[in-house]
């Protein structure tokens, strides 16, 4: 069976599987896992959360069958799968009964560290760096990416608007030979699972949220796929694909630190959240984010095609300018121009 057909079947199977499991879980989530509005929330009434269980389960199961559950490739994915499940369990507990910040981060760090430590010693992104220094940077970056998706999952369809373009780009890049098979198939399954979740999370009529049980492991899985792309030598592409999420979360964190705000507490000061306060509808925000991600995916593809350090610098500059313009637009009242 051809790789493209396997990827398509993985996408379709994860879509159907996630939708069916989400529907089946809805009564249980409504009873035991209500998300009540707080300082960070964009919703006004208690809404079930925890559909991330369906997204992650569909992704992992479909990926296992796509790569072959008895193959050496699957054995290599076991640390990632175990880490995703553990982080999901931590998120599930936190959804129901909040866990203090330090224990939560410690458990996440252990999971990310387990993945970093199991990377082959001959795999390195920047060979000029000492291996231990790059591994330490990957640990910090991985921990940030796990939480980044959680921080950005504050509007209906927001994670879908980020995850679908990124996973679709990873699948296309994999089919073109820029990414190995296992992360490509994982991206196909994750994209399909997010599509299966989307109808239940429509803006204005959301019946369920992902919850930390979904957003945290999704961050881990996306981050791992992007790491595999970087390890193939496509560092610029791996940075361009999640650039909007990286910029919104990182700049928001820095702004809160500089203002000496308690940045570890729930808040509504991300650019995408400020946009809804400034007159943008949720659909407008996620639509613009999705379009930005599609443009970033195109830039990532151009980066790989040109395979030039100078071109990479220019493309990252173009992507940064585009993302910066969108963040500035979100930070102003709708209709106000400079």
């Amino acid at each position: 069976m051809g790789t493209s057909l396997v990827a398509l079947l993985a996408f379709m199977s994860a879509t159907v599987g996630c939708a069916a499991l989400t529907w089946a879980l809805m009564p249980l989530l409504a009873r035991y896992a209500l998300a009540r509005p707080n300082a960070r929330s964009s919703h006004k009434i208690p809404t079930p959360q925890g559909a991330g269980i369906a997204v992650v389960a569909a992704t992992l199961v479909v990926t296992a069958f796509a790569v072959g559950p008895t193959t050496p490739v699957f054995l290599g994915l076991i640390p990632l799968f175990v880490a995703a499940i553990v982080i999901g369990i931590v998120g599930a507990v936190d959804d129901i009964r909040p866990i203090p910040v330090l224990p939560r981060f410690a458990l996440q760090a252990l999971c990310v560290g387990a993945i970093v430590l199991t990377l082959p010693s001959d795999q390195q992104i920047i060979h000029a760096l000492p291996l231990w220094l790059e591994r330490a940077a990957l640990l910090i970056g991985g921990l940030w990416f796990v939480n980044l998706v959680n921080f950005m999952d504050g509007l209906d369809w927001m994670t879908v608007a980020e995850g679908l373009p990124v996973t679709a780009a990873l699948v296309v890049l994999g089919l073109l030979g820029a990414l190995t098979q296992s992360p490509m198939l994982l991206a196909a399954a994750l994209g399909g699972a997010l599509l299966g979740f989307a109808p239940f999370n429509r803006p204005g009529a959301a019946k369920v949220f992902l919850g930390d049980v979904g957003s945290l492991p999704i961050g881990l899985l996306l981050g791992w796929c992007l790491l595999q792309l970087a390890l193939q030598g496509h560092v610029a592409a791996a940075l361009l694909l999640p650039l909007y999420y990286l910029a919104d979360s990182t700049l928001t964190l820095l702004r809160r630190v500089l203002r000496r705000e308690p940045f570890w507490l729930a808040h509504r000061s991300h650019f995408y959240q400020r946009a809804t306060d400034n007159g943008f509808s949720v659909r407008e925000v996620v639509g613009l984010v999705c379009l930005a991600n599609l443009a970033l995916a195109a830039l990532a593809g151009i980066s790989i095609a040109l395979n030039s350090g100078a071109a990479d610098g220019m493309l990252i500059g173009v992507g940064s300018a585009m993302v910066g313009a969108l963040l500035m637009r979100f930070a102003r009242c709708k209709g106000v121009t400079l």
Side-chain angles (χ1 to χ4, degrees):
M1 188 181 296
T3 303
S4 58
L5 181 57
V6 174
L8 177 60
L9 290 175
F11 179 85
M12 295 174 62
S13 299
T15 301
V16 175
C18 179
L21 186 54
T22 300
W23 178 82
L25 286 173
M26 285 287 291
L28 188 66
L29 298 177
R31 183 173 181 180
Y32 294 107
L34 282 181
R36 302 187 183 280
N38 58 30
R40 177 180 173 235
S41 304
S42 297
H43 64 289
K44 304 299 182 184
I45 60 174
T47 303
Q49 62 182 342
I53 295 171
V55 174
V56 175
T59 299
L60 299 185
V61 170
V62 169
T63 301
F65 279 99
V67 301
T70 60
T71 63
V73 174
F74 176 71
L75 294 178
L77 290 174
I78 288 178
L80 174 67
F81 281 27
V82 171
I85 292 169
V86 172
I87 282 182
I89 292 172
V90 172
V93 174
D94 199 43
D95 283 334
I96 298 171
R97 187 187 297 270
I99 302 173
V101 173
L102 289 180
R104 186 169 71 242
F105 273 101
L107 290 169
Q108 293 170 3
L110 285 174
C111 292
V112 175
I115 295 173
V116 171
L117 289 174
T118 56
L119 289 173
S121 59
D122 60 343
Q123 287 191 351
Q124 196 168 356
I125 299 173
I126 304 174
H127 293 279
L129 287 178
L131 184 62
W132 69 267
L133 183 58
E134 180 172 294
R135 293 295 194 257
L138 288 178
L139 173 60
I140 296 170
L143 185 58
W144 176 232
F145 210 92
V146 165
N147 286 280
L148 175 143
V149 174
N150 181 40
F151 295 156
M152 296 295 292
D153 186 43
L155 288 181
D156 301 334
W157 271 1
M158 177 57 80
T159 301
V160 175
E162 173 71 12
L164 272 179
V166 173
T167 54
L170 289 168
V171 171
V172 172
L173 294 176
L175 294 175
L176 294 175
L179 187 64
T180 54
Q181 187 180 53
S182 55
M184 186 268 287
L185 292 176
L186 175 58
L190 179 56
L194 287 171
L195 183 62
F197 162 72
F200 299 91
N201 188 239
R202 290 182 295 115
K207 297 179 179 179
V208 69
F209 301 146
L210 282 173
D212 288 2
V213 66
S215 59
L216 293 172
I218 287 172
L220 179 72
L221 296 172
L222 270 180
W224 181 82
C225 290
L226 292 167
L227 172 61
Q228 299 307 307
L229 184 62
L231 288 170
Q232 293 297 308
H234 307 303
V235 180
L239 289 173
L240 281 165
L241 286 173
L243 189 57
Y244 173 78
Y245 261 34
L246 288 170
D248 194 327
S249 282
T250 303
L251 291 175
T252 298
L253 176 65
L254 291 175
R255 185 177 66 245
R256 286 172 61 80
V257 170
L258 291 174
R259 292 178 178 177
R260 298 182 179 180
E261 297 176 2
F263 59 87
W264 57 90
L265 297 181
H267 63 91
R268 277 187 48 82
S269 58
H270 284 284
F271 287 89
Y272 75 91
Q273 292 170 319
R274 293 162 65 189
T276 59
D277 296 334
N278 287 333
F280 290 84
S281 70
V282 173
R283 287 182 182 270
E284 287 174 325
V285 173
V286 297
L288 288 169
V289 170
C290 186
L291 288 175
N293 284 320
L294 290 172
L296 290 170
L299 293 178
I302 294 171
S303 166
I304 292 174
L306 295 178
N307 192 27
S308 162
D312 285 348
M314 292 180 61
L315 291 168
I316 289 175
V318 171
S320 299
M322 181 181 64
V323 170
L326 181 57
L327 295 178
M328 291 176 64
R329 185 176 179 185
F330 283 167
R332 298 192 304 269
C333 289
K334 185 180 178 182
V336 174
T337 59
L338 291 178

